[in-house]
Amino acid sequence: MRKTFGTGSVWEQTLGYSRAVQVDNTLFISATAASGENGIVGDDFYSQTTFILEKLGSVLQDAGFSYEDVVQSKLYLTDISKWEDAGRAHGEVFGEIRPTLSLVHVLPFLDPKMLVEIELVAQKSA
């Protein structure tokens, strides 16, 4: 079974991708930024990470998953020296769940106000 999920973002249409794709009992969620209705939300690594994780919580829920189902998390950071700020926000959500984690230092995103993107993989027990 393959099912796609969208958020209505113009980027999804323009670039031809889905916010999330479920294949059987696994959900793959595209890298997500702190973009809201009025642009980028937050101006630091902690607040953007917090906003993104809340946004991803809704994506998980819409697909019938939860944070507890997350098995892999990737944080893409434009300034790796701010890893502790992003990591603190990540730990507030995943501290007890403990998925695998990658911290990746990247060049600036398309919008220079974007500081963080997060990508998740969630899996339900068979």
Side-chain angles (χ1 to χ4, degrees):
M1 173 195 80
R2 182 180 195 273
K3 184 176 180 182
T4 61
F5 300 87
T7 60
S9 161
V10 296
W11 292 107
E12 292 172 20
Q13 289 298 319
T14 303
L15 299 175
Y17 74 97
S18 297
R19 174 62 44 213
V21 175
Q22 181 179 354
V23 178
D24 298 324
N25 64 339
T26 304
L27 184 69
F28 302 89
I29 303 177
S30 295
T32 302
S35 56
E37 291 183 17
N38 298 315
I40 302 303
V41 176
D43 59 0
D44 61 66
F45 285 79
Y46 177 82
S47 62
Q48 285 195 16
T49 301
T50 298
F51 181 82
I52 295 166
L53 290 170
E54 290 171 4
K55 191 173 175 181
L56 291 175
S58 296
V59 174
L60 288 161
Q61 185 175 19
D62 290 347
F65 288 75
S66 68
Y67 289 126
E68 289 77 16
D69 297 316
V70 173
V71 295
Q72 184 178 58
S73 180
K74 295 180 182 177
L75 274 67
Y76 301 94
L77 309 174
T78 58
D79 181 350
I80 199 67
S81 74
K82 303 295 185 183
W83 70 269
E84 289 179 277
D85 296 333
R88 182 168 42 97
H90 187 273
E92 289 170 1
V93 172
F94 291 113
E96 297 298 317
I97 300 164
R98 299 183 57 175
T100 64
L101 172 66
S102 297
L103 295 172
V104 183
H105 187 201
V106 298
L107 294 173
F109 295 110
L110 295 174
D111 182 334
K113 293 179 185 171
M114 292 176 171
L115 304 174
V116 180
E117 281 195 345
I118 301 174
E119 180 179 350
L120 299 178
V121 176
Q123 189 169 56
K124 288 188 172 279
S125 299

